[in-house]
């Protein structure tokens, strides 16, 4: 039986189910503390596996395309925050003040890794450059996101300094990633053979954090503080933000003279925001306060970007082969 096109993917459906379970059966008290330790362990394992999966050869191969990476970084860490602040007078009235803080937090996050690479590959873009750009975005985001959060939201994470927040994120996310890179020489073959089920660790860690975050938020009265008009307004905010970034990245890619394959990479790497990195970061940066409201915009934006970029990737993939061949021949000469 063919899956209906309007039906979201399995992970999205599971994510919605977890939010529903957290709404009906939130974890609280000592159980929440134990659940928090389990979640931290899952996040550490997630970033260890990210480090083990990414080959150093892929990093070096894509690192030389500095103009493309510079533009993607500018879109991720400059364009998004500028749009978030510039559009605030227009879009903030559509949502609650807390939800718009979540929108600003979304703007400060690094790009995705898996989906950016997957869509670039499907659309026949520059995959090596996408791998390098997306991976570097995640690594630089460990240091840049806390700084941007301090600037955009006026907070510095867990009542301490921005440097403290960077230290916590480094310990929880970067150290496991580096450990994975070191362990790659021994476990790379096993990782490559088991990619089909290791993705469940990625998804499982996100689901754990989302359940814990929404449980805490529900206990604090999340759904009483978010009226339906604000949810509808949040949908509009996310659509407007994504549409503007897609248009701007496409325009800049063409205007700056990148070929079609590079333009595709710029669009898909420069317009994404990472749920896998954003949710664990929120838990560190905003420890001691409910993050359910803050990650709600990120969850919605994540699903919209996946659906829109899937359509865009299919459209790019249907373009004639001739331009790609001509580019390859030109590079050969």
């Amino acid at each position: 039986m063919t899956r209906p096109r309007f039906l979201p993917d399995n992970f999205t459906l599971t994510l919605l189910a977890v939010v529903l379970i957290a709404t009906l059966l939130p974890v609280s008290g000592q159980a929440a503390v134990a659940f928090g330790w389990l979640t931290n362990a899952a996040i550490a394992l997630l970033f260890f596996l990210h480090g083990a999966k990414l080959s150093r050869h892929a990093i070096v191969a894509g690192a030389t395309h500095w103009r493309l990476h510079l533009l993607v970084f500018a879109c991720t860490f400059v364009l998004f925050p500028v749009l978030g602040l510039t559009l605030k007078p227009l879009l903030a009235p559509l949502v609650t003040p807390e939800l718009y803080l979540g929108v600003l937090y979304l703007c400060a996050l690094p790009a995705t890794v898996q989906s950016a690479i997957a869509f670039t590959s499907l659309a026949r873009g520059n995959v090596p450059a996408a791998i390098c750009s997306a991976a570097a975005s995640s690594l630089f985001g460990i240091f840049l996101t806390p700084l941007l959060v301090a600037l955009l939201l006026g907070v510095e994470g867990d009542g301490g300094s921005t440097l403290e927040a960077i230290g916590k994120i480094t310990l929880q996310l970067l150290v496991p990633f580096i450990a994975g890179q070191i362990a790659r020489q021994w476990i790379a073959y096993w990782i490559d053979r088991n990619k089909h089920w290791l993705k469940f660790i990625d998804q499982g860690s996100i689901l754990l954090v989302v359940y814990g975050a929404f449980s805490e938020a529900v206990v604090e009265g999340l759904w009483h503080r978010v009226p339906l008009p604000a949810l509808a307004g949040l949908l509009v905010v996310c659509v407007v933000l994504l549409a503007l970034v897609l248009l701007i990245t496409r325009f800049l890619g063409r205007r700056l003279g990148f070929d079609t394959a590079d333009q595709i990479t710029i669009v898909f790497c420069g317009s994404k925001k990472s749920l896998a990195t954003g949710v664990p970061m929120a838990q560190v940066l905003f420890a001691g306060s409910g993050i359910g409201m803050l990650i709600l915009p990120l969850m919605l934006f994540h699903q919209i970007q996946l659906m829109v970029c899937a359509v865009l990737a299919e459209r790019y993939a249907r373009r004639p082969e001739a331009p790609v061949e001509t580019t390859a021949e030109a590079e050969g000469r």
Side-chain angles (χ1 to χ4, degrees):
M1 182 177 177
T2 306
R3 185 189 184 93
R5 295 191 59 146
F6 61 85
L7 190 66
D9 61 90
N10 290 336
F11 180 63
T12 300
L13 294 174
T14 307
L15 199 60
L16 293 173
V18 166
V19 172
L20 178 62
I21 293 170
T23 300
L24 299 176
L25 298 170
V27 65
S28 59
Q30 289 301 312
V33 174
F35 192 84
W37 283 102
L38 173 64
T39 301
N40 289 337
I43 292 168
L45 178 59
L46 167 67
F47 278 83
F48 174 83
L49 291 174
H50 276 316
K53 284 188 285 188
L54 187 64
S55 71
R56 269 156 269 182
H57 174 72
I59 296 173
V60 174
T64 55
H65 206 341
W66 64 269
R67 287 180 67 243
L68 182 147
H69 301 319
L70 191 61
L71 179 55
V72 170
F73 286 1
C75 292
T76 303
F77 296 114
V78 179
L79 176 61
F80 263 102
V82 168
L83 285 176
L85 289 175
T86 304
L87 296 172
K88 187 175 180 179
L90 179 65
L91 298 180
L94 299 176
V95 296
T96 65
E98 286 176 297
L99 282 178
Y100 204 80
L101 286 178
V103 173
L104 292 176
Y105 173 64
L106 149 72
C107 291
L109 289 171
T112 61
V113 177
Q114 292 96 330
S115 63
I117 296 168
F119 286 132
T120 300
S121 177
L122 176 61
R124 305 202 319 270
N126 187 339
V127 175
I131 292 171
C132 181
S133 185
S137 177
S138 290
L139 289 177
F140 282 111
I142 289 173
F143 306 100
L144 291 176
T145 295
L147 295 172
L148 289 172
V149 165
L151 289 172
L152 295 174
L153 281 73
V155 298
E156 297 182 330
D158 199 18
S161 66
T162 301
L163 193 59
E164 229 179 328
I166 292 174
K168 290 180 180 179
I169 291 174
T170 299
L171 184 62
Q172 189 168 356
L173 308 185
L174 183 59
V175 170
F177 184 92
I178 293 173
Q181 275 281 290
I182 294 171
R184 180 175 169 77
Q185 58 184 311
W186 298 293
I187 64 174
Y189 179 71
W190 181 83
I191 290 284
D192 291 338
R193 287 194 61 188
N194 294 280
K195 280 182 179 177
H196 61 286
W197 67 264
L198 287 177
K199 69 177 183 180
F200 294 113
I201 295 178
D202 286 25
Q203 297 175 351
S205 61
I206 295 171
L207 295 174
L208 284 174
V209 176
V210 168
Y211 176 70
F214 270 86
S215 289
E216 184 178 356
V218 167
V219 170
E220 294 177 356
L222 169 67
W223 300 120
H224 297 291
R225 289 155 43 204
V226 184
L228 282 177
L231 284 176
L234 182 59
L235 176 63
V236 173
V237 170
C238 290
V239 169
V240 169
L241 185 60
L242 179 61
L244 285 174
V245 173
L246 287 172
L247 289 171
I248 293 171
T249 52
R250 182 176 172 83
F251 170 78
L252 290 176
R254 288 182 169 183
R255 184 71 175 176
L256 296 175
F258 289 97
D259 63 29
T260 303
D262 285 347
Q263 289 176 31
I264 290 168
T265 304
I266 291 164
V267 167
F268 288 125
C269 292
S271 64
K272 294 279 189 302
K273 289 295 179 176
S274 176
L275 183 69
T277 302
V279 174
M281 273 193 176
Q283 192 169 8
V284 176
L285 286 169
F286 306 103
S289 59
I291 65 169
M293 192 82 76
L294 280 165
I295 66 171
L296 190 57
L298 173 59
M299 289 176 57
L300 184 58
F301 185 88
H302 179 77
Q303 307 311 325
I304 294 171
Q305 75 181 5
L306 289 181
M307 290 184 282
V308 171
C309 288
V311 174
L312 285 178
E314 288 182 0
R315 289 188 62 184
Y316 275 122
R318 289 198 298 267
R319 74 188 190 278
E321 292 281 352
V324 177
E325 292 171 0
T326 301
T327 301
E329 289 168 7
E331 289 176 351
R333 290 195 297 268

